[in-house]
Amino acid sequence: MKKYSSIENKMVDILETGAEPKIINFGSLDELLGSSELIGSSPLLPEFILMVLEDPCRPEECLDDHWKFIEKTLPFCVKGSALAEIVDLIDRANKQSKELFHVYMQIFSKSDSSIVARSAALDGAIRYVICDPQLRFELISNLLTITKNDDKDLIRCTAKIIGVAHANWPEPELFKKLVELAENLEAMDQVAFEIGSCKIQFALNAVDAESVETEFHDSKYWFEQSINADDNRHDAAIYLECVKCLLDFYRGRDINVAEVSSNLKKQVTFLRAWNRTDANPPWLFNNTVQLFYWEMLGHKLSRLNAELLTPSWYEPAMVVEEFLSAVWQSSKSLLMKGAETGLEAFVRPRIEGTVAANIGQAYALKQWLQRNPKHNDFDTVHELAQKIDAVVQENYSGSHTSIQILDPSFPRILNDTNVVKKQLVQQAIKDSQTLSLKNLSVHQVAIIEDCIKFVENHPDYQKEIYRKLYNSILLWTVRFLDSRLEMTQKDEPVIKYLFKQDNGKKPKEEKLQADFNNVMTSIIGGTDIEVMNVAGGRADVLFRLNTERIVTEVKREERDSSFDNLIAEYSAQAADYQNVSGRLGLVLVLDQTTSANGTPHISTLVKPTQLTREGESIPRMLVFIKVPGERLRPSDLTKQAKKKGAEQRRGQKRKAN
């Protein structure tokens, strides 16, 4: 057990009597300064600093000397718990000292300092930087020195500070550092939470709904990762529930109000129980307050969504004043921002389009305006009403944007047509979709469901543009496979390549490629064949939607067509086509090893898989689909069976003789 020095023993004696220590008990401030190193390394340093800070005898001109004592002793502090206490004491003194900030950074940069001490130093530093942003560059440069191989507790603390720094000064290097630290799975809960928070920040800074949706999808993925790493991340659970509400609201999906309300209340209760907000540092307190703002947004969104799905409102005044007005200006009224953010660009089109398309809701809104000209929300609701009028005018003027506004998920079509014609085309598309679903067999549906469930939590699939591409390609590729299993050469001569050739030669994969492309081109626009210079090789069939793409690689296999072998042989190349676009793809394999026993069942011909490359945390998703080749015609199978039966009978006769 360490023996105290005489100056430490004197402090212990004073504290044991219950008296308050005073500088005069130790001679003078100069005498204390002469023992700076001894006092600085003492576990009693917090008591000495508290004594100096509360010295009632200090004249104003001696204030600098009092701070000099703190600046001289603090660099020698080696006990993390002592430093954490000192950070709070200094913060309560409400005095800025750049020298102390540099001391904090010095302690943090020492790799031989304890994890608790380095974490406490970061806490002290961020408090200073928030008050004096000019110091942020030194803080950021120190934060960027942390690597994924550092101690998990240090990474968790640093990630938290990086998140605060990024919220105040969104430097790209800070976000890149968080993504790098996410490779340390032991610290994933905190790092993933901070990445999700950054993604929300990106969403609020975006200017168009599509960009906002992309960022919200990404944030949803990272909050899920945080919860998967630690199911006690109640802060991540609150954000996740709110982001899911936003995404469902944007797409016009039904939201279970009771479930959302229950989940949010439960998570907030846990958060308040496990996090003492009154004991948190100021920067962490602000983060907690933001969580409560988002909780309120989640409640309002779910209630407004339920009202928008009804033909009319039972209590219009409550809907307008409690939900509609609040969500319409959510950044200001709910998140307490000083100006509008990307949130308005995300939620307003749904509100405008839905109310404009619903006579009962539009009428209730206009009646509210007439009855409440002096209401605090009048200007906000009046602005909304003007937007709705504009939507109605666009819809009946033949503008090409009307369908897009009334239903953001519906394709924008036929620029120069009137509303009636648009409605006819909408009906035609719906009828086509209905027939497509009715014509799917049970096994086709099972295959499609399995492949979608396999990717549904992938961040790229959760982006609308990739979801549309993937689902469309998957659906029609399964239909393509089904048709190729059903057809015979007599039905369609073009599929001759799937059957045994009279000359014994096996067709190349180009035959499957051409057949697949011809079918898909007639169904999905933007299909190219033999696109060169994709990942430095060739992409057999490439599907585009705007600037994004998904590639279907076409191969053939003559020896081993087991999925284990196909995945081992072709995954790397197929995944390489995903370097610059969505991490989703398909591999279509012409299986020329098919058994002479007949064609396999469709349920055995499709398998989804994933590949995670070294240095990447998000996997690349692939669906392997085998198209049986080298098939025998049904009549040939009968002949073969008869021949085999005759041979068996002859063999049995020889044995009998």
Side-chain angles (χ1 to χ4, degrees), residues 241 244 256-264:
E241 195 69 43
K244 286 162 62 177
N256 189 320
V257 178
E259 183 178 326
V260 170
S261 179
S262 174
N263 289 343
L264 287 173

Side-chain angles (χ1 to χ4, degrees), residues 107-142:
I107 295 172
F108 172 73
S109 61
K110 289 181 179 178
S111 58
D112 58 345
S113 297
S114 70
I115 302 302
V116 177
R118 296 180 75 182
S119 300
L122 268 186
D123 180 12
I126 191 66
R127 299 188 196 202
Y128 271 105
V129 174
I130 289 175
C131 297
D132 186 0
Q134 291 183 349
L135 298 172
R136 69 184 184 276
F137 301 107
E138 184 176 347
L139 173 66
I140 291 173
S141 64
N142 277 278

Side-chain angles (χ1 to χ4, degrees), residues 290-397:
Q290 282 297 316
L291 273 170
F292 295 143
Y293 290 158
W294 277 84
E295 177 215 0
M296 182 60 66
L297 173 62
H299 286 298
K300 299 281 188 183
L301 267 176
S302 60
R303 289 294 303 274
L304 176 59
N305 190 75
E307 297 294 343
L308 290 177
L309 293 175
T310 62
S312 61
W313 298 327
Y314 180 69
E315 296 183 276
M318 183 191 71
V319 174
V320 172
E321 296 164 18
E322 292 293 322
F323 311 125
L324 193 62
S325 175
V327 174
W328 174 261
Q329 53 175 353
S330 47
S331 295
K332 293 181 180 179
S333 64
L334 298 177
L335 300 187
M336 304 304 170
K337 304 291 183 182
E340 292 180 359
T341 68
L343 199 53
E344 278 74 19
F346 196 59
V347 300
R348 286 183 176 180
R350 164 78 193 291
I351 297 173
E352 295 168 6
T354 302
V355 178
N358 191 311
I359 296 174
Q361 294 177 4
Y363 177 78
L365 192 68
K366 294 293 180 69
Q367 286 294 302
W368 186 92
L369 286 170
Q370 291 178 9
R371 295 170 181 171
N372 299 277
K374 295 183 179 181
H375 195 280
N376 290 337
D377 292 332
F378 179 85
D379 290 340
T380 299
V381 179
H382 185 260
E383 180 188 2
L384 169 58
Q386 289 179 319
K387 295 285 188 181
I388 291 169
D389 285 341
V391 171
V392 173
Q393 289 299 319
E394 284 188 43
N395 191 38
Y396 289 98
S397 65

Side-chain angles (χ1 to χ4, degrees), residues 649-657:
R649 287 192 294 272
R650 285 195 295 270
Q652 290 171 353
K653 286 182 179 179
R654 283 195 295 269
K655 287 182 180 180
N657 294 332

Side-chain angles (χ1 to χ4, degrees), residues 251-507:
R251 295 173 187 158
R253 294 175 176 170
D254 188 21
I255 299 175
N256 189 320
V257 178
E259 183 178 326
V260 170
S261 179
S262 174
N263 289 343
L264 287 173
K265 286 180 180 178
K266 180 177 69 174
Q267 298 302 335
V268 168
T269 300
F270 283 131
L271 187 70
R272 285 175 170 155
W274 291 99
N275 294 272
R276 289 181 53 209
T277 55
D278 57 339
N280 287 336
W283 52 268
L284 190 55
F285 176 79
N286 292 336
N287 286 4
T288 306
V289 170
Q290 282 297 316
L291 273 170
F292 295 143
Y293 290 158
W294 277 84
E295 177 215 0
M296 182 60 66
L297 173 62
H299 286 298
K300 299 281 188 183
L301 267 176
S302 60
R303 289 294 303 274
L304 176 59
N305 190 75
E307 297 294 343
L308 290 177
L309 293 175
T310 62
S312 61
W313 298 327
Y314 180 69
E315 296 183 276
M318 183 191 71
V319 174
V320 172
E321 296 164 18
E322 292 293 322
F323 311 125
L324 193 62
S325 175
V327 174
W328 174 261
Q329 53 175 353
S330 47
S331 295
K332 293 181 180 179
S333 64
L334 298 177
L335 300 187
M336 304 304 170
K337 304 291 183 182
E340 292 180 359
T341 68
L343 199 53
E344 278 74 19
F346 196 59
V347 300
R348 286 183 176 180
R350 164 78 193 291
I351 297 173
E352 295 168 6
T354 302
V355 178
N358 191 311
I359 296 174
Q361 294 177 4
Y363 177 78
L365 192 68
K366 294 293 180 69
Q367 286 294 302
W368 186 92
L369 286 170
Q370 291 178 9
R371 295 170 181 171
N372 299 277
K374 295 183 179 181
H375 195 280
N376 290 337
D377 292 332
F378 179 85
D379 290 340
T380 299
V381 179
H382 185 260
E383 180 188 2
L384 169 58
Q386 289 179 319
K387 295 285 188 181
I388 291 169
D389 285 341
V391 171
V392 173
Q393 289 299 319
E394 284 188 43
N395 191 38
Y396 289 98
S397 65
S399 168
H400 70 276
T401 61
S402 58
I403 294 177
Q404 184 76 5
I405 291 174
L406 291 175
D407 185 351
S409 65
F410 205 86
R412 184 178 298 179
I413 54 174
L414 300 183
N415 293 352
D416 300 315
T417 187
N418 57 38
V419 174
V420 176
K421 289 182 179 179
K422 287 182 180 179
Q423 291 173 344
L424 293 174
V425 175
Q426 289 182 35
Q427 188 60 50
I429 293 174
K430 289 179 181 178
D431 290 343
S432 173
Q433 292 172 338
T434 302
L435 286 175
S436 295
L437 289 173
K438 286 184 177 180
N439 288 332
L440 289 174
S441 69
V442 173
H443 296 294
Q444 291 179 53
V445 170
I447 291 170
I448 294 168
E449 286 182 346
D450 288 344
C451 292
I452 290 177
K453 287 179 181 178
F454 191 78
V455 302
E456 64 182 351
N457 292 322
H458 193 280
D460 287 346
Y461 179 80
Q462 292 178 345
K463 296 170 184 173
E464 182 180 11
I465 192 167
Y466 290 127
R467 187 186 73 250
K468 287 180 176 179
L469 263 177
Y470 178 86
N471 288 351
S472 299
I473 297 167
L474 176 65
L475 169 66
W476 292 108
T477 301
V478 172
R479 294 298 300 272
F480 170 81
L481 174 63
D482 181 83
S483 69
R484 270 37 191 170
L485 293 174
E486 288 285 337
M487 289 181 178
T488 66
Q489 293 185 67
K490 185 176 180 181
D491 296 326
E492 182 58 70
V494 75
I495 67 167
K496 181 180 178 181
Y497 70 94
L498 295 177
F499 292 83
K500 276 187 174 294
Q501 306 297 301
D502 294 336
N503 58 12
K505 292 184 179 180
K506 293 183 178 181

Side-chain angles (χ1 to χ4, degrees), residues 108 122 142-163 173-195 222 615-617:
F108 172 73
L122 268 186
N142 277 278
L143 292 174
L144 296 179
T145 62
I146 295 295
T147 72
K148 61 184 179 183
N149 298 319
D150 281 317
D151 179 87
K152 64 179 177 63
D153 292 324
L154 181 63
I155 290 177
R156 295 180 82 258
C157 174
T158 305
K160 191 181 295 186
I161 302 298
I162 290 176
E173 290 77 11
L174 290 171
F175 182 74
K176 291 178 182 176
K177 177 56 67 173
L178 285 174
V179 174
E180 175 197 326
L181 296 179
E183 295 181 36
N184 187 311
L185 299 181
E186 292 183 301
M188 175 60 83
D189 70 302
Q190 187 65 48
V191 178
F193 175 80
E194 299 302 339
I195 296 176
W222 286 107
E616 296 181 355
S617 59

